[in-house]
Amino acid sequence: MVYKKIITTMIIMSIGMTVSLSQSPVIDISVRNKSLASTLSELSDTYDIRFAYDSQLLNKTTITKRIHTTDLYGAIDQLLEGTNLSYQVIDQIIVIYPGKETPQSKYITVSGIIKDRDSGETLPYANVYIEGTNVGTSSNNTGVFSLSDVAYNDTIKLTIKYLGYQTQILDLSSLNRNERVLVHLTHEAKVLDGVSINSDENEIVESGEKMGHFILNPNKFIALPNMGEVDIFNSLRLLPGISTSNETSNGISIRGSTADQNLLLLDGFSLYKQDHCFGLFSTINSKVIKNIQVYKGGFESKFGGKVGGVIDITGKSGNQYKPAFHIGMNMISADILVEAPLFKKRGSIIMAGRRSYTDILQTPLYNEVFNSLFADDEMLVLSVGGTQRIYSSTIDPLFFFYDLNSKITYNASEKDVLSISLYSSKDNLNVADPDFDYYNNDSWGNTGTSLKWNRQWSKKFYSELLISHSSFYNNFSESYFYYDFDNDLQVDNFTNDNEIVETRVRINSEWQINSTSKMEFGLERNNTRINYMSSYSDTVDITSLGQNSNLTTGYLQYTFQPFSQIKLIPGLRLGYYEQTNKLYAEPRLSIYSYLNEGFYLKAAFGRYYQFVSRLSVSDQFGDNTSFWALADELDIPVISANHYIVGFNYRNGAFSLDAEFYRKDIDGLSEFRFVYDTISYASGVFYSGQATIHGMDIIIKNRFGPFTGWISYSSSKNVCRFDGLNMGKPFPANNNKQHELKFAGVLRIKKWDFSSTWIYGSGIPYSKPSENSELFYNDPVDEINTYTLPDYHRLDISVTYNYSFSRVRGHAGVSVINVYNRKNIKSRLFFQEYDYLSNEPVHISVDIKHLGFAPSLFLSINF
């Protein structure tokens, strides 16, 4: 009850703060032949403004004015116009003195909106800073930025940078302080009138200023090698600290954290499944993505609910100037996209669809992909919906996937933006094995919806209201047909259904206090509902789970620079979780020290909690399933983690070096295992444990004329311990990779892009059954993960032609995956057979390999 009162008080205070801060006072002055001294006195009393001036001088000065504005300094400018008086702000006191005002004494507020020159798309999270200083900010998710109380002089220049676009440097000396700057950025390498441009539009990835932060340019992913389908998550794996050695989009590991420990957001709603087509492609169509922000650790208080990393994706809004179309095809799928202006060009709509045609036509690339899924003994091993299914080589699978995106945006006013985003995806697999009268259907997918209202209350204050709904489902059923001893046809059915549904209401606010300080705060109410059912022949419930809980959170974060060389970001996130009836506090702190213009040090600490997890279910028969569950502090504890990170960043022109050293202590991990006897399942057992992860990430990036590329290296150690497993002794985690080295490079020559990527990764650990052990029983191994698979490495290359004629433009190209046909091993399974002569079990090992040599073609048309 006490916790509910605390949360209620936070909600009331935050709403009150939002309302009070959003209502910037209107300066309303109407005087006729009145002394300036008495006018300023009334202004001080009415609006609580502090002045300092010579009363005798100002009593002799009479004015006649009519002023109505929300800009305080603009009002003072108008009052002093024609009086030969000047002012300067000292310690929040407006000092008025005689004489001509010098440019150095002015303070201005610079605000504006950043857009794509060709489409009118607003550009979120662009870097905006005063040239030659550490004073800066970033645009919000509607492209709006504001810098308050900027010391003004004749040479002041504003730099606007956005990855994949030309950098602009604007001369602000001629701007009116009340003017809202409209900044149009362009992809084109050309010089605009009155604007200085630097050539960096071909950049693919950039290290953000914040801890563990990377920004990616989805428009340039097409230049990287791919299987015809531009893949967001496979591109992410080229970054340090994001694991690549499992080769697929299934289960991104960020600094040793499992996929379910990462917060994946698309336009504000959560996505719980990341892959299509047995893990080969991501579930998100790259054609609809505008911006990707990745936080590998130490992320700020505005993000919560996960203990690993954050992938925050903003979708495109659509072309606000003219209709546009896209058609694309590769050797597995086809896609189409339509965008157009709405509401007399005050809004836009974008719709996109993508579907594989693998259930209609099997291309050589699809056959190569499908053949790579067979293990050494011709077993077929499929990653489907978070599970691993094993079939015989005689099956006849029928598979397809699709995803749909749509978004409508309406600019209701200069200050209000409304948008609704919709998403749906599905994978479907039908399997028939006529030799054994076996049939199954497996379908899994995501849905997501978000409604946003963004309001720019004033130049300094901004809010966003988000209402979102998302779900993930995985429905599996299989049937065996056989005849009993009476020759009657019998059917055994097995079903496994899992669903997670999340509804969220959130309000975030941002107050730009001045040029060196900013406050962010927000509230969130999150309801999560989970159902999991595993049954046999529709009568026997093997496992049943139904959960529902609410999480109410609030956060406060303050960014300020006590000195020009130091930036601090302290924050606090509080959450009340109804399932445990507890309040959880998450303090966080980031520190940045700017030693010179191109070099700074950084450090961060953060406490994080997670209340929903995907539990792995190990199966001695080779199948590996998983299901989502809510923490209850009975069988499933709340996951907690502490992040400790230090690092540095060095930039010199096109060259940059970023390094971070980290440690994560995670508690409350859960694992679920079935307890077997020789005949049937007996029961399920939950195990809880901890993990310690430490390592370092380094990335070196450079650009030489038309070539841009980077090299990254990661070293990490991930050790966990579970009571009741491995005799209580620590053991390497399943995704432990000690070393990873990655290279990516793109060379642009006129309309051609030549690219290559090479990845090396240490082998992942695995367990081997102990000699003469029975795999049908519970502990078939002596020790967990004491063996290591061979190291992984792969070279990919690609050639892309970027064509344009008349109003048609697009890309055509060829990629070759695994150029030297390395036989990388994904996993090693063990099965049991009996030697009937000795009547002893014999263990058979089966290697599951990654994709071999695989060329692919792709084509896209835009008009």
Side-chain angles (χ1 to χ4, degrees), residues 1 28-29 38 173 200 220 307 375 386 467 552 577 618 632 752 854:
M1 186 61 69
D28 195 347
I29 304 170
S38 60
S173 60
D200 61 356
K220 291 298 177 182
V307 298
I467 302 174
T552 305
Y577 183 52
S618 298
D632 55 13
W752 294 87

Side-chain angles (χ1 to χ4, degrees), residues 241-242 252-257 262 294-296 309-311 664:
I242 300 182
I252 287 179
S253 174
I254 299 180
R255 287 182 172 170
S257 294
N262 302 321
V294 178
Y295 301 87
K296 297 187 297 180
V310 177
I311 303 172
K664 288 197 288 190

Side-chain angles (χ1 to χ4, degrees), residues 401-442:
F401 72 82
Y402 73 80
D403 53 57
L404 303 170
N405 293 82
S406 62
K407 188 175 182 179
I408 296 176
T409 303
Y410 174 52
N411 299 291
S413 71
E414 191 180 69
K415 296 184 176 181
D416 297 277
V417 180
L418 301 173
S419 65
I420 182 170
S421 180
L422 306 173
Y423 170 81
S424 177
S425 73
K426 181 179 181 179
D427 287 60
N428 194 87
L429 174 69
N430 288 300
V431 171
D433 192 346
D435 292 348
F436 292 92
D437 291 322
Y438 169 79
Y439 305 90
N440 83 19
N441 176 261
D442 208 327

Side-chain angles (χ1 to χ4, degrees), residues 435-537:
D435 292 348
F436 292 92
D437 291 322
Y438 169 79
Y439 305 90
N440 83 19
N441 176 261
D442 208 327
S443 63
W444 61 99
N446 291 285
T447 62
T449 305
S450 67
L451 174 64
K452 286 185 180 181
W453 172 37
N454 299 94
R455 170 73 174 176
Q456 191 74 36
W457 300 94
S458 69
K459 290 183 178 181
K460 296 186 177 184
F461 194 75
Y462 161 83
S463 293
E464 177 190 80
L465 174 66
L466 168 74
I467 302 174
S468 69
H469 178 85
S470 59
S471 67
F472 165 75
Y473 66 90
N474 182 19
N475 301 323
F476 172 75
S477 64
E478 62 181 357
S479 301
Y480 294 90
F481 294 85
Y482 63 93
Y483 289 91
D484 62 14
F485 291 110
D486 297 326
N487 207 31
D488 293 328
L489 181 64
Q490 301 292 325
V491 181
D492 283 346
N493 295 315
F494 174 77
T495 61
N496 191 319
D497 299 328
N498 190 201
E499 181 185 37
I500 177 169
V501 180
E502 178 187 87
T503 303
R504 176 186 299 150
V505 179
R506 185 185 73 198
I507 181 168
N508 288 339
S509 295
E510 182 179 305
W511 177 25
Q512 187 75 45
I513 301 171
N514 53 45
S515 60
T516 59
S517 60
K518 177 173 66 175
M519 183 177 292
E520 298 168 83
F521 55 94
L523 294 165
E524 183 176 315
R525 176 77 166 181
N526 194 323
N527 175 264
T528 305
R529 176 170 53 87
I530 291 177
N531 292 304
Y532 176 61
M533 174 69 72
S534 181
S535 63
Y536 174 73
S537 294

Side-chain angles (χ1 to χ4, degrees), residues 643-654:
H643 292 194
Y644 310 90
I645 313 173
V646 296
F648 66 88
N649 184 284
Y650 172 72
R651 297 171 188 255
N652 185 358

Side-chain angles (χ1 to χ4, degrees), residues 134 192 255 396 440 530 533 546 625 633 663 676 806 844:
N134 293 325
L192 307 176
R255 287 182 172 170
D396 181 20
N440 83 19
I530 291 177
M533 174 69 72
T625 62
E633 293 290 17
R663 176 187 173 101
Y676 290 94
S806 186
I844 306 298

